[in-house]
Amino acid sequence: MADLSPARWPVAARIAVIYLAARVLTTGFLLLAAELSTPASRFGADADLAALLGGWDAQWYGYIAWAGYPSELPRTDEGLIAENQWAFMPVYAYLAAGVGALFGSWLTGAVIVSLVAGYGACLILHRLLRERLDDTAATWAVVFFACAPLAALFHVGYAESLFLLLLFLALWAVVRRRLVWLYALIPLMGYTRPGVLAFALFLGLYGIHRWFTRRRDPLPAVQIVHIVVAGMLAVVIGFSWQVIAGVVTGDPAAYLETELAWRRGWVGADGHFVPFAGFVDASAMWFGLWGLGPVLGYVALALGVAGVAALLAFAPPVRRLGPEIRLWSASYVVYLLAVFFPQSSIFRLLVPLSPLWGAVAVPRSPWWRAGVLVASLAGQWWWIYNMYALGNTYWQIP
């Protein structure tokens, strides 16, 4: 008799079953959140699933698909640049528009792109982790990823699913030394969602790592060329959107000021950008709001950064993932520290660190894995309930 156990299934089929089961659970959470949506929430008492899937930033992507980008920047009453489409990249918006044209609905296209890209991301994540972990651990990492607290991003009209697919492909290309793929993947990443500058830093650190380990891991000249050129391409792509926005609007600061328009909602009209200042300022703000004082906020930030650095450098389960995932994680954390002002969206901004689920899946204990899964699903419901059913205050913005 043939062995029909899931472990014997083709990987693509096994991942598909995991992903579909996870999406059924998340859909149930979203339907329940719509039912529990309060009159005070952004979606009102009569919310439905479509309203939640098309809410928050999804509305901006839909607006880009319908109206494009403004050549004249909107202004506030104080004369400052207001929130507008230039904060969002075009690939996801227009890809969703193309798919949605087949169904007469941009949102339908957006949800399809997010769901399909999410499955692709799960499949590539498994292949990426299989380079270092056994099949069971890699599969459990996919389970955790598919059921993670932010798994609603696989459903909503956000660019995260597509970005994760492209990112995992790019990391896999680096691990497999198929560096020529990066020339296509880097522009797609860069115009899907901010973050390609973190990938430029990653390539720089990866190149340095390969150089110092070249005696035990040969570094051919052609790979040096690809690493350097791909890194330069990532830098160019990372800054090009600012140039494009400046050329179209006639304002060289159009993109940066647009991004600051969101930050001013937290820090007021005097908000400005200084690299690495966002986390410092936010630490003082949040700990002040919690009644703990800014000094404790600074201490917590320093301890948090040191703790993350120690985990990436020394934790055995993380080290098992290999230098590529560790260097990417470090690069992305540095990028966030440099450019982001942490607020409720910080959870979503951490999703590109998802390859680290592989480290969580390393322990073989069934109790550990079951506990992580239960905690992930509980966190997923907490996030959906607060951001959608209740979403009516400053910390309930996904």
Side-chain angles (χ1 to χ4, degrees), residues 16-32 49 115 146-147 151-152 154-155 377 380-381 384:
V17 170
I18 292 169
Y19 185 71
L20 289 173
R23 301 288 60 78
V24 169
L25 285 171
T26 303
T27 300
F29 287 157
L30 288 166
L31 287 170
L32 182 56
L49 181 61
L115 287 170
C147 297
F154 295 126
H155 297 247
L377 291 173
Q380 185 181 151
W381 168 244
I384 290 172

Side-chain angles (χ1 to χ4, degrees), residues 18-381:
I18 292 169
Y19 185 71
L20 289 173
R23 301 288 60 78
V24 169
L25 285 171
T26 303
T27 300
F29 287 157
L30 288 166
L31 287 170
L32 182 56
E35 183 67 24
L36 296 176
S37 182
T38 68
S41 82
R42 181 184 180 95
F43 302 98
D46 298 322
D48 58 15
L49 181 61
L52 270 58
L53 299 181
W56 299 112
D57 287 0
Q59 297 178 80
W60 284 106
Y61 286 111
Y63 191 46
I64 290 168
W66 171 64
Y69 292 89
S71 57
E72 183 175 345
L73 294 167
R75 300 275 176 175
T76 66
D77 293 339
E78 294 80 17
L80 300 171
I81 294 175
E83 299 171 355
N84 65 84
Q85 301 97 292
W86 284 109
F88 302 91
M89 306 303 173
V91 169
Y92 176 79
Y94 291 131
L95 178 59
V99 175
L102 302 175
F103 301 92
S105 165
W106 178 86
L107 181 59
T108 299
V111 172
I112 290 173
V113 170
S114 291
L115 287 170
V116 172
Y119 168 68
C122 287
L123 189 59
I124 301 304
L125 178 62
H126 181 274
R127 293 182 177 178
L128 174 64
L129 295 175
R130 279 293 285 125
E131 299 292 331
R132 298 286 180 168
L133 304 179
D134 61 41
D135 181 68
T136 300
T139 300
W140 270 104
V142 171
V143 172
F144 299 152
F145 173 61
C147 297
L150 275 291
L153 292 172
F154 295 126
H155 297 247
V156 299
Y158 278 47
E160 267 72 9
S161 282
L162 183 59
F163 182 82
L164 289 173
L165 171 59
L166 296 169
L167 171 65
F168 295 168
L169 280 169
L171 290 173
W172 191 40
V174 173
V175 171
R176 300 287 293 179
R177 312 287 169 85
R178 298 174 180 175
L179 301 174
V180 71
W181 292 9
L182 298 178
Y183 299 123
L185 291 168
I186 285 173
L188 289 172
M189 280 196 295
Y191 296 126
T192 296
R193 179 186 174 279
V196 76
L197 287 175
F199 199 81
L201 176 59
F202 157 67
L203 287 175
L205 295 177
Y206 173 73
I208 293 170
H209 166 77
R210 290 291 308 281
W211 177 259
F212 282 105
T213 59
R214 67 189 186 279
R215 289 185 178 178
R216 66 174 184 270
D217 182 10
L219 179 60
V222 66
Q223 291 188 17
I224 295 175
V225 172
H226 283 316
I227 292 169
V228 172
V229 174
M232 293 173 61
L233 175 63
V235 171
V236 170
I237 295 294
F239 286 106
S240 67
W241 192 244
Q242 298 182 39
V243 176
I244 293 169
V247 170
V248 173
T249 63
D251 185 342
Y255 174 72
L256 182 58
E257 290 297 319
T258 294
E259 290 286 2
L260 289 177
W262 269 267
R263 185 175 298 193
R264 293 187 189 105
W266 296 89
V267 299
D270 294 331
H272 57 282
F273 176 74
V274 175
F276 296 99
F279 267 80
V280 176
D281 295 341
S283 298
M285 183 195 79
W286 284 108
F287 276 75
L289 288 173
W290 297 333
L292 301 174
V295 173
L296 188 57
Y298 301 143
V299 173
L301 175 62
L303 291 176
V305 172
V308 170
L311 283 173
L312 294 177
F314 304 115
V318 178
R319 292 179 64 87
R320 283 192 58 181
L321 302 181
E324 294 85 2
I325 289 176
R326 293 165 62 211
L327 289 173
W328 158 251
S329 300
S331 300
Y332 188 71
V333 169
V334 171
Y335 168 78
L336 285 185
L337 289 170
V339 305
F340 188 58
F341 181 89
Q343 24 80 6
S344 60
S345 296
I346 186 64
F347 301 107
R348 175 168 56 87
L349 272 290
L350 293 174
V351 169
L353 296 173
S354 291
L356 292 176
W357 280 117
V360 181
V362 166
R364 296 176 179 272
S365 168
W367 291 104
W368 166 261
R369 288 168 171 168
V372 171
L373 179 57
V374 170
S376 295
L377 291 173
Q380 185 181 151
W381 168 244

